């Protein structure tokens, strides 16, 4: 039996300023936490900042339904759909002032995501058999196209990882991980659907078995397995941050035949944290894990067993 030397506990629960209807995005910027919440009725996104007193401050109201966001060159770049359903990119500063607002001249079926290191890379799909990619200039709204990536066995799954973007491609009984920034390809020797994340130093990935959740780091032979009943019924996500974190959410039937959403948060050498209720997103903020439900944000912090 694996001995866990730490556990996750709820440090604080904070009421959200507005309820989440469809989607929320959590992103860390200069060690501060920003929450983006869509308003489907108004086709808008509200941007809130959690201040040092752990209360929310509304800093922006953007004319799009957000689908992703990233930090680049001291700007928060938000991607989404405008009122006409066209892909729109809005850049704001940390006070919420709009610096750029541009419609992308693409027709995506898989909505674009961006990552930023020395340059801003953008990735999207217009059909199931090709991944489109290029360098995006926020100032000029121009995309310098890179060669597209062929997907012989759709679907490809795209994962933005802050400074780079990767994708998993399936082929027969194995899965390839391709770095869409550098073009490097790694064989993962596993045919299961993957979730990909990144710590400060390393990419990690997870997959589900019947009653197990597995975690492995790229270029490391060590595999860590966790027991979780009916794990294969859930949806797996990888949460990038200081530590490799996996989030599994599943819908289970209770004794009275009602359905209940349950989530599990998994980290190595840490007791599995389980919680009831639907969760819209999970993220990391400094040394904390954050969970966003319909009307509240939950902060989890790791404690060490004595």
């Amino acid at each position: 039996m694996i001995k866990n030397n730490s556990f996750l506990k709820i440090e604080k629960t904070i009421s959200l300023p507005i309820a989440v209807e469809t989607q929320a995005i959590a992103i860390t910027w200069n060690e501060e936490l920003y929450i983006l919440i869509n308003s489907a009725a108004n086709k808008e996104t509200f941007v809130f900042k959690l201040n040092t007193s752990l209360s929310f401050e509304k800093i922006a109201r953007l004319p799009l339904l957000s689908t992703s966001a990233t930090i680049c060159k001291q700007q928060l770049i938000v991607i989404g759909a405008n009122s006409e359903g066209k892909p729109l990119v809005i850049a704001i500063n940390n006070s919420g002032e709009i610096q750029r607002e541009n419609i992308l001249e693409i027709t995506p079926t898989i909505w674009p995501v961006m990552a930023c290191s020395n340059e801003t890379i953008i990735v999207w799909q217009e059909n199931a058999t090709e991944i489109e990619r290029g360098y995006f200039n926020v100032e000029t709204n121009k995309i310098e196209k890179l060669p597209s990536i062929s997907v012989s066995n759709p679907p490809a799954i795209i994962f933005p990882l802050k400074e780079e973007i990767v994708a998993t491609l399936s082929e027969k009984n194995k899965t390839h991980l391709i770095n869409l920034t550098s073009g490097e390809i790694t064989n993962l020797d596993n045919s299961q659907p993957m979730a990909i994340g990144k710590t400060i130093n390393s990419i990690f990935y997870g997959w589900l078995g019947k009653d197990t959740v597995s975690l492995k780091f790229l270029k490391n032979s060590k595999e860590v397995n966790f027991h979780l009943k009916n794990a294969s019924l859930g949806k797996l996500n990888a949460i990038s941050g200081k530590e490799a974190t996996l989030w599994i959410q599943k819908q289970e039937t209770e004794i009275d035949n009602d359905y209940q959403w349950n989530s599990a948060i998994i980290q190595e050498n840490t007791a599995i944290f389980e919680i009831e209720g639907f969760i819209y997103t999970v993220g990391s903020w400094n040394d904390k894990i954050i969970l966003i439900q319909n009307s509240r944000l939950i902060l989890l912090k790791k404690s060490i067993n004595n």
Side-chain angles (χ1 to χ4, degrees), residues 157-161 164-168 177-180 196 203:
I157 310 296
I158 297 169
F159 301 92
L161 303 177
E164 57 194 327
I165 302 175
V166 301
T168 53
L177 180 72
I178 180 166
N179 188 314
L180 298 173
I196 314 293
I203 289 176

Side-chain angles (χ1 to χ4, degrees), residues 18-295:
I18 61 172
V20 180
E21 299 173 11
T22 56
Q23 174 165 298
I25 297 171
I27 190 165
T28 300
W29 185 7
N30 293 331
E31 298 190 351
E32 295 182 307
L33 180 65
Y34 290 75
I35 304 293
L36 286 69
I37 300 177
N38 285 353
S39 172
N42 298 318
K43 297 182 179 179
E44 293 176 320
T45 294
F46 292 92
V47 183
F48 300 95
K49 179 169 66 174
L50 193 65
N51 59 33
T52 52
S53 61
L54 296 183
S55 59
F56 282 104
E57 170 191 355
K58 185 175 82 172
I59 65 165
R61 186 174 181 175
L62 306 178
L64 84 173
L65 287 175
S66 61
T67 55
S68 65
T70 192
I71 305 300
C72 188
K73 298 175 182 176
Q74 290 305 304
Q75 294 183 104
L76 173 59
I77 311 295
V78 183
I79 304 172
N82 68 6
S83 59
E84 298 175 349
K86 295 181 178 179
L88 181 65
V89 176
I90 296 179
I92 64 173
N93 61 21
N94 59 8
S95 300
E97 298 165 333
I98 293 178
Q99 308 297 296
R100 294 285 184 275
E101 182 177 338
N102 295 308
I103 293 175
L104 295 174
E105 299 300 324
I106 59 176
T107 54
T109 55
I110 301 297
W111 224 248
V113 293
M114 291 186 189
C116 188
S117 54
N118 293 329
E119 297 185 86
T120 303
I121 188 165
I122 181 171
V123 172
W124 73 98
Q125 284 186 260
E126 299 190 5
N127 59 68
T129 60
E130 285 186 316
I131 299 174
E132 306 292 344
R133 60 192 181 125
Y135 293 116
F136 179 68
N137 187 315
V138 178
E139 306 295 324
T140 64
N141 196 39
K142 300 294 183 183
I143 298 175
E144 180 188 338
K145 290 285 295 289
L146 293 169
S148 59
I149 304 293
S150 239
V151 181
S152 58
N153 186 25
I157 310 296
I158 297 169
F159 301 92
L161 303 177
K162 191 176 180 179
E163 295 182 350
E164 57 194 327
I165 302 175
V166 301
T168 53
L169 306 176
S170 298
E171 181 184 318
K172 295 182 180 178
N173 294 321
K174 54 186 163 183
T175 300
H176 298 295
L177 180 72
I178 180 166
N179 188 314
L180 298 173
T181 310
S182 67
E184 181 183 3
I185 299 175
T186 305
N187 180 16
L188 298 182
D189 291 321
N190 194 316
S191 60
Q192 298 296 324
M194 301 281 180
I196 314 293
K198 189 176 183 181
T199 63
I200 295 172
N201 299 315
S202 178
I203 289 176
F204 65 91
Y205 55 100
W207 66 95
L208 300 177
K210 183 177 183 298
D211 294 308
T212 60
V213 182
S214 299
L215 169 68
K216 195 170 183 180
F217 286 87
L218 201 63
K219 300 177 181 177
N220 187 329
S221 59
K222 181 182 177 183
E223 179 181 315
V224 185
N225 296 300
F226 307 86
H227 176 76
L228 183 68
K229 185 179 179 182
N230 298 324
S232 59
L233 300 179
K235 180 182 178 182
L236 178 66
N237 293 272
I239 311 304
S240 298
K242 289 186 176 180
E243 290 193 51
T245 303
L246 298 175
W247 163 40
I248 302 93
Q249 181 157 250
K250 54 187 176 176
Q251 192 179 46
E252 297 180 301
T253 306
E254 302 294 302
I255 296 175
D256 56 4
N257 289 324
D258 284 340
Y259 288 99
Q260 172 68 50
W261 287 99
N262 296 304
S263 281
I265 307 298
I266 293 177
Q267 293 180 337
E268 190 176 1
N269 299 321
T270 303
I272 295 175
F273 178 88
E274 297 187 77
I275 187 170
E276 294 182 349
F278 186 80
I279 294 176
Y280 285 90
T281 193
V282 174
S284 66
W285 177 38
N286 300 330
D287 62 343
K288 300 176 178 63
I289 298 296
I290 63 164
L291 318 177
I292 296 180
Q293 295 185 313
N294 172 257
S295 60

